[in-house]
Amino acid sequence: MSITITAVKNPKWKTIKQNNVDTQVIDCEIQCDKFGDEWLSFGATPYDTEQHGKKLWEDLNNGVYGSIDPEN
């Protein structure tokens, strides 16, 4: 599914278990062209299979959406 992310807020690091291995994810909220002004939860990883997910991971790590809060 190709989407365009139009806004991002509240990025924070989160550790999840994936195949019994701890994986770092950037948890955030996004708005996109498919859902108008609704905020959706999104977990960005470098392994996303969709282009918008890969781009979001890169942009978050490059500070495009501000600093990433540490995990609590």
Side-chain angles (χ1 to χ4, degrees):
M1 170 196 267
S2 178
I3 67 169
T4 300
I5 296 172
T6 57
V8 178
K9 68 178 184 179
N10 301 326
K12 59 184 170 270
W13 287 105
K14 183 176 182 180
T15 302
I16 62 168
K17 285 272 189 203
Q18 189 172 34
N19 297 326
N20 223 17
V21 176
D22 286 345
T23 302
Q24 290 294 132
V25 174
I26 302 173
D27 191 36
C28 59
E29 296 174 73
I30 65 165
Q31 287 181 328
C32 65
D33 60 341
K34 302 285 184 190
F35 297 99
D37 62 356
E38 183 177 349
W39 286 99
L40 307 168
S41 180
F42 193 95
T45 73
Y47 313 110
D48 200 309
T49 59
E50 297 291 336
Q51 188 59 37
H52 63 269
K54 292 176 187 176
K55 174 87 167 99
L56 179 58
W57 172 263
E58 182 179 312
D59 287 350
L60 286 163
N61 279 282
N62 287 330
V64 172
Y65 300 106
S67 62
I68 304 168
D69 289 339
E71 188 170 7
N72 292 336

